[in-house]
Amino acid sequence: MNLGVLLGVSFIVLLLGYVFYGRYLAKQWGVNLTKDAEPTPAHAQLDNIDFVPAKAPVLLGHHFSSIAGAGPINGPILAAFFGWLPVTIWVLIGGIFVGGVHDFGALFASIKNRGNSIAAIIENSMGLKARRLFVAFAYLTLLFICAAFSAIVAHTFAADVTRFGNVVYNETAETNAITAMISIWFIVIAVVFGYLVYGRKFPLGITTAFALLALLFLMYFSLSYHPLYLSSKTWLFIIGAYIAVASVVPVWLLLQPRDYLSSFLLYAMMIIAVVGIFGLHPTTSLPAMTDNNFIAKYSDFNSLFPALFIVIACGAVSGFHSLVSSGTSSKQLNKESDSLLIGYGSMLIESFLAIIALCTIAYVWDNEVAILASGEKMSTPVVIFAKGLSRMVQVLFNSSETAYDLLYTFFVLSVSVFCLTSLDSATRIARYLFQEFWLSADETPENTQGFKRILVNPYVATFITVGLAMVLGYNGYANIWPLFGATNQLLAALALLGVAAWLDHIGRNNHMIYIPMFFMLITALYSLAQSAKSNYRLLASGGDLWPAVRLGIVILLLILVADLIVNVIFEKLKR
């Protein structure tokens, strides 16, 4: 398969999906794409902390950076063992008909419900118990994300050293130290940018240009000056402190400008990738479909279903997106007409990034299979992505190894930045959900009393959330992370259920949600059942306690979901 053709056809399909199906959804749901008479929650509930209107380019940057992370890169690369055809089909169909519907629906429902999360929307349609069940489920999912992304970023920044009188740095340690230094400068630039644009009312375009020039200079400066050679454990505590602050400071000071500026890294990365793939247009040896023997020999997967639809999440559909749409983005949406671009468009851009990731593993496929055949471990998805694109561009322009090294560092930096932006948003949303769990629809943190008032305090909620995430990240998130994929996709099914119930409640067409909802529900439940079976077998054979922990979590999740579904049916029958 020619990778240039694959990328070009995918782009056309996604563009047609946005133009036709996205507008169809807007029409069926009553989204106003032409006249913005009704103020959005960002204006109606302006508090300059969480509710802050943002121009469409700024919010697109925040939303896209938050939902992307490393997901659309990791998933397609890991799923390439099934072949390029099933990965491509699921990314395109999933993005247009499942993920886009999911993200757009959650955003629109939230702006029509005072910027409340999907959990509060569920309460309006299905009752307080359903809301609390959803919050408990979503909060557990976010703890997985916070723990895992904190650990991933900490390992990306980690620069271990060996001391024998002098300090000896290896190449990987230096690359990580450079990435960490640039990331720190990035945060500083974002804070200054937010202060100038929102605090001092500087023009957005000019300030953006100067911020990006400053970032380029500091990236170059950090290649020579990167003194922070710290261990992953040390970085984990630093990151914990950072996300605790990031989750409570006003969104205009850090979260919004940081995500907006980081989106330019993502756009640049995608443009470079498109130039490399189209310019070189290599033919891949990755089969359209692989056989079961190959899958069993070289991967951890047993079969295409349900693994393909669990591993590829962010590039097709991810429950985390509904929490971003209804958690932070709905509180910053300037106009209702922006919701199509932010909610639906961002998902399809992410699907395009997933196809780019597929092209990178396809380009280096022979090399990675040779590594596996030799008995060694496959490179990590981020390394495959960075090396594949860097080598593609190097070969296209016949450039030096120095150019390759600079591109490689840039791609690794970009991915780590997106992990950190997703982590910022996940922590803030988890804080929202922790507060919401203790409140009913007519309550706010300000009008509560007693012990509940302490629990809904944003600083207390943040401390508990970050504390739990750090404990999990420090002591063994990797032992629980295998459950995240199914949990995340089950969250997507429940979010679709919530949007469908709300649309039905207000008398709008929700038929396009049924098939995606039931498909994701069946897929996720089947995956969790497989996990329960395998962990039961591990527990029966003896060993450590992690199989028991995982089995307990699976049972808890299944109980929460069963209770929620029964509650939905009961509420429907009552009406």
Side-chain angles (χ1 to χ4, degrees), residues 376-504:
E376 297 181 20
K377 283 189 176 182
M378 179 181 174
S379 305
T380 65
V382 172
V383 169
I384 289 173
F385 182 79
K387 284 186 175 181
L389 287 181
S390 301
R391 192 65 68 192
M392 223 181 290
V393 174
Q394 183 196 29
V395 172
L396 175 63
F397 293 102
N398 195 26
S399 53
S400 64
E401 282 297 315
T402 300
Y404 168 84
D405 292 338
L406 288 173
L407 278 173
Y408 177 80
T409 301
F410 171 74
F411 288 131
V412 172
L413 167 69
S414 298
V415 176
S416 69
V417 164
F418 306 137
C419 284
L420 208 51
T421 56
S422 294
L423 181 58
D424 291 353
S425 297
T427 309
R428 196 177 195 97
I429 296 165
R431 187 258 289 179
Y432 291 155
L433 289 176
F434 186 89
Q435 292 174 278
E436 278 193 22
F437 182 83
W438 309 101
L439 301 173
S440 58
D442 59 344
E443 285 184 307
T444 65
E446 291 74 25
N447 65 18
T448 55
Q449 300 295 327
F451 189 63
K452 183 188 287 188
R453 188 177 181 86
I454 297 174
L455 290 174
V456 299
N457 180 281
Y459 300 102
V460 174
T462 297
F463 177 80
I464 293 173
T465 298
V466 174
L468 290 172
M470 290 303 102
V471 169
L472 185 58
Y474 191 89
N475 288 303
Y477 87 92
N479 289 296
I480 299 177
W481 184 247
L483 298 178
F484 169 74
T487 305
N488 184 47
Q489 299 304 65
L490 190 52
L491 179 62
L494 297 180
L496 285 166
L497 174 64
V499 173
W502 174 73
L503 288 170
D504 179 66

Side-chain angles (χ1 to χ4, degrees), residues 159-170 173 229:
D160 296 321
V161 299
T162 305
R163 299 179 183 274
F164 296 101
N166 296 316
V167 179
V168 179
Y169 303 142
N170 60 41
Y229 283 74

Side-chain angles (χ1 to χ4, degrees), residues 248-332:
V248 293
V249 298
V251 291
W252 60 264
L253 184 62
L254 176 58
L255 186 71
Q256 200 179 84
R258 187 183 132 73
D259 290 357
Y260 167 64
L261 293 174
S262 70
S263 68
F264 285 93
L265 284 180
L266 185 54
Y267 301 148
M269 181 180 76
M270 293 177 70
I271 291 170
I272 293 171
V274 168
V275 169
I277 295 169
F278 275 135
L280 197 62
H281 56 273
T283 300
T284 180
S285 59
L286 172 64
M289 296 271 299
T290 56
D291 58 42
N292 290 334
N293 290 333
F294 179 86
I295 294 170
K297 182 177 180 181
Y298 290 117
S299 77
D300 296 327
F301 308 128
N302 295 320
S303 59
L304 187 144
F305 182 85
L308 176 71
F309 309 100
I310 299 297
V311 173
I312 300 178
C314 287
V317 57
S318 167
F320 174 59
H321 293 192
S322 68
L323 302 182
V324 176
S325 292
S326 66
T328 57
S329 297
S330 63
K331 296 175 177 64
Q332 301 172 58

